[in-house]
Amino acid sequence: MGTDTAAVTDIRPFTVEVPGADLDDLRERLGRTRRPRELPGQGWDRGAPLPFLRGLAEYWRTGFDWRRRERELNALPQFTADIGGQTVHFAHVRSPEPDATPLLLNHGWPNSLVEFLPLIGHLTDPRAHGADPARAFHVVVPSAPGFGFSAAPSATGWSVARTAGLWARLMRALGYERYGVQGGDLGAYVAPAVAEADPDRVTGVYITAGIGFPTEADVPGMTPDELAHYERMRQWSTGGLDHHALLRRGPQTFDYGWADSPVALLGWMAHKFQEFHVSQGVFTDVIDRDLFLANVSLYWFTRTAGTSSWPMYDTEDSPWPAGQRHVPTGVYSGPPGIRRLAELRNDVVHWPEHNPGRHHFVTMESPGPYAADLRAFFAEVG
């Protein structure tokens, strides 16, 4: 298939520098929040519980240190570039190991570059983490269009395939003739699309989880165990807040609240991170509170809660990721997908069943085990 020939131009260093006035404004808005009445129900039955969100908002106002997270972001070499008229932001962290494997990381929704802050060091400098330095990676982490510091699509019709085409051209511009691709959540759609856009240069696609999900079309050929699994999946997918439906129909309406009220944004993000929590308790039990707030803050300062909604509002339905057959595929954790179904559309060579993980955004929770399994997959595919 090959990549688009449009040039990558104007690559320039980028530094995160949130003005002090924006920090003061955030704290002032948090301090005068007009809170709603609490609705009847238990726990998260009606959404983010008032006591939980009140405490989290107060910590965001008085305890969270954005400048510390800003320094952590700026410790990564960051850049912006123009690719076919689209301005994109990315981090490019080269390993101290000269023969490291190039790797493209694709974040999810509603997440950002922050998703990979705990992981990058494990990948670029495995020696420092007690792992084999021969399995190091040069890491490229772009911000998807409309997310963080990447420009938003200026018109409707943006797609995962267009995003994948940008990343294929970016990797070529950075001088990488062969590279691996990773992705989870939104990245589980983008990563296979990069392989479709650039099959001659991608060595393998590694997905956190997200292929082999059963659908109605698969029902006639399912075994009893698979049918039971399908029913559990249906209950899970219909029991939460359907952000696909909401953002397909009204992202501009909701964005008035997200852009104007930090607590509205915080409540939305907390609700989704809680739904993406797959064990008992609260998501902040497994994901560092400051890391979560760094992601929320990035959305707040860049006003990208609405612009990052294009994966929903530019689609008419919400199919599960199908994957691709151009290059080998591996996953960090097979369930809740079914391997037999995944293999109908993918060359699956790596499908562990019991890797640790209690949250959808597992790189924020278990970066060490995740890095180890990712290294194992790319050791298999070369």
Side-chain angles (χ1 to χ4, degrees), residues 71 193 297 342:
R71 289 191 295 272
S297 298

Side-chain angles (χ1 to χ4, degrees), residues 15 34 42 149 200 209 239 271 310 316-317 377:
T15 301
R34 186 185 184 204
Q42 297 296 316
F149 300 106
D200 294 334
H271 189 115
W310 63 260
E316 288 303 318
D317 54 21
F377 167 69

